[in-house]
Amino acid sequence: IRIVAKNMKKQKGVTTLVGIIIIIVVAVILFGGVFAYQYFATKFQQNQIQNKNSNPESCLDTAVSQLDLNICANNLYLSANEKLNNLYKKIIDKLNVDASNQLDVAEQSWIKTRDETCKVISIMDDGGSIAPMNLGLCLESSTNYRIKELNDSFQWLLEGR
């Protein structure tokens, strides 16, 4: 009986040592993973910020989730919409009252058509997570087309001819 008890004490000591080593290894892996994640996540976020500043469309290339793509598409649309509003204001400021009113009616009609058309595209996605991205991209594309259309139509007015 004493021999068995003596062997159990040796095994218990080895088992405890192995357990401590396992705990240390797991802790190092977990904490190392956390620190590595923080390091690489910070680098990735810095790169995204630099890319957004240098090229606003690059967010579609650097997005890592559908949510990122949805936000990017919305930001692209908002940027295009701001450009359209600035151009529209420049044109309106140079038109007489009657022409300004007529353009305003046309612009309201165009906005309604654009929004309804893009809603159809969004509905086709059956409410999936991609729907907001497709809506944003449709709005952005249509808005950029309208900017080109207004620039082409009113180039003479904008250039002061």
Side-chain angles (χ1 to χ4, degrees):
I1 296 179
R2 285 187 182 172
I3 296 173
V4 173
K6 199 175 193 182
N7 285 340
M8 288 179 89
K9 282 184 181 180
K10 285 183 182 178
Q11 286 179 348
K12 187 174 182 182
V14 171
T15 306
T16 304
L17 181 62
V18 170
I20 292 171
I21 291 172
I22 289 173
I23 291 171
I24 291 171
V25 168
V26 168
V28 168
I29 290 171
L30 287 176
F31 287 118
V34 169
F35 292 126
Y37 171 78
Q38 288 176 341
Y39 173 78
F40 289 114
T42 303
K43 288 286 188 189
F44 179 74
Q45 288 170 346
Q46 288 171 349
N47 287 340
Q48 276 192 316
I49 290 168
Q50 288 173 350
N51 287 341
K52 281 183 182 177
N53 291 338
S54 63
N55 182 3
E57 292 183 350
S58 68
C59 62
L60 290 173
D61 298 325
T62 60
V64 294
S65 69
Q66 187 59 54
L67 178 61
D68 291 342
L69 289 168
N70 295 348
I71 292 169
C72 174
N74 186 59
N75 288 339
L76 292 172
Y77 159 64
L78 292 175
S79 176
N81 197 52
E82 183 179 352
K83 290 175 188 171
L84 175 63
N85 289 335
N86 291 337
L87 175 62
Y88 182 75
K89 184 176 178 350
K90 285 179 188 175
I91 293 170
I92 287 292
D93 287 347
K94 294 186 179 210
L95 294 175
N96 65 37
V97 175
D98 290 338
S100 171
N101 289 339
Q102 187 61 41
L103 181 59
D104 191 47
V105 168
E107 199 63 17
Q108 294 305 316
S109 176
W110 174 82
I111 289 170
K112 184 176 180 181
T113 301
R114 175 201 64 186
D115 290 352
E116 292 301 317
T117 301
C118 289
K119 281 181 190 174
V120 169
I121 290 171
S122 180
I123 289 170
M124 290 173 24
D125 293 320
D126 256 350
S129 62
I130 198 171
M133 180 189 76
N134 286 339
L135 176 63
L137 292 176
C138 177
L139 291 170
E140 184 247 353
S141 175
S142 297
T143 302
N144 282 331
Y145 184 79
R146 182 63 174 168
I147 291 169
K148 181 182 179 338
E149 188 176 48
L150 287 174
N151 269 323
D152 291 347
S153 297
F154 292 97
Q155 180 179 9
W156 59 272
L157 181 68
L158 295 168
E159 291 176 354
R161 290 186 211 167

